[in-house]
Amino acid sequence: MPDRGLRAIEGLAPSPFDAGPLEIAGRWVQVTFEVDRDAAMRWMPADVTRPVPCYGRLLAVDGESGGRPMRFAALALGGRFRMMPRNVLVEAVTADGAALPALAGPALAGDVRMDAESDGLAIAITTAEGVLAEARLPAPYAIEPAMLRWDGWVVYAPNNGGTALAEALVEVRATAARLSKGALFAPGPAADRSSPWRQLRSLLPISACAVEGVLRVGPAAVPAQVLMG
């Protein structure tokens, strides 16, 4: 039997809950990296199974939604939900600490900055306490956007007086894409030992991309139960 997560989900559904969809025009970065198995199981819900190896994902976005600026970062684990590969939301960083539409779940107040460097792209995720996490994409090179795969998300929704896992599918209309090898993702001084941003630090980079275009997530929906027999 595959390993299942250990995280209890009660109370993780945001109030108010906005199912989305969330549509952003701008640029975003996705970094995929190997994480510690025990840490992954602690932050993964019980209805989700782990892949081999265990991996995490960072999604950092800088763009516009509904004519307003929007910057956020979302830390996720890779998992399998209802037999499909999914990004499982662990925690987001948003401007006001409110949960995002579609990407619904735990969130912190903070900021996300993307800056071009001489040899690549740097991402800084900060809160009032300082730098929570950093990522760097060295020497990105252009690729065909169709080469990239976009998994849906597992998030947290209110359901029958409790909390349930919901799925939010992803649609991408990319105008440009770049790939980077050997990307860095690391916790900052503001991530203490209990923080998922430290516990789910990168043990080994897997892949990283920077994309421009339109990113659409959701709407988030609790899957209907399938009755057997």
Side-chain angles (χ1 to χ4, degrees), residues 48-154:
V48 180
T49 57
R50 72 174 180 95
V52 179
C54 292
Y55 65 89
R57 275 205 170 120
L58 170 71
L59 174 68
V61 175
D62 183 358
E64 279 189 0
S65 181
R68 294 179 296 179
M70 173 170 278
R71 291 200 299 263
F72 69 85
L75 177 64
L77 283 165
R80 194 166 286 272
F81 178 63
R82 292 166 62 93
M83 301 195 310
M84 297 299 294
R86 294 288 182 254
N87 300 311
V88 184
L89 180 67
V90 175
E91 190 168 71
V93 173
T94 65
D96 57 3
L100 293 159
L103 291 175
L108 302 173
D111 192 23
V112 179
R113 306 292 302 187
M114 295 188 198
D115 296 305
E117 297 183 327
S118 59
D119 63 343
L121 186 64
I123 299 95
I125 303 162
T126 60
T127 65
E129 287 71 36
V131 177
L132 185 66
E134 295 179 293
R136 281 184 169 78
L137 279 64
Y141 57 93
I143 61 169
E144 285 295 323
M147 293 174 60
L148 300 173
R149 188 189 89 183
W150 303 99
D151 293 335
W153 286 71
V154 170

Side-chain angles (χ1 to χ4, degrees), residues 142-174:
I143 61 169
E144 285 295 323
M147 293 174 60
L148 300 173
R149 188 189 89 183
W150 303 99
D151 293 335
W153 286 71
V154 170
V155 298
Y156 302 95
N159 187 57
N160 296 326
T163 300
L165 298 180
E167 290 183 285
L169 301 184
V170 173
E171 178 187 348
V172 167
R173 302 190 298 276

Side-chain angles (χ1 to χ4, degrees), residues 12-19 98-102 104-105 156-158:
L12 295 181
S15 179
F17 172 79
D18 185 346
L100 293 159
Y156 302 95

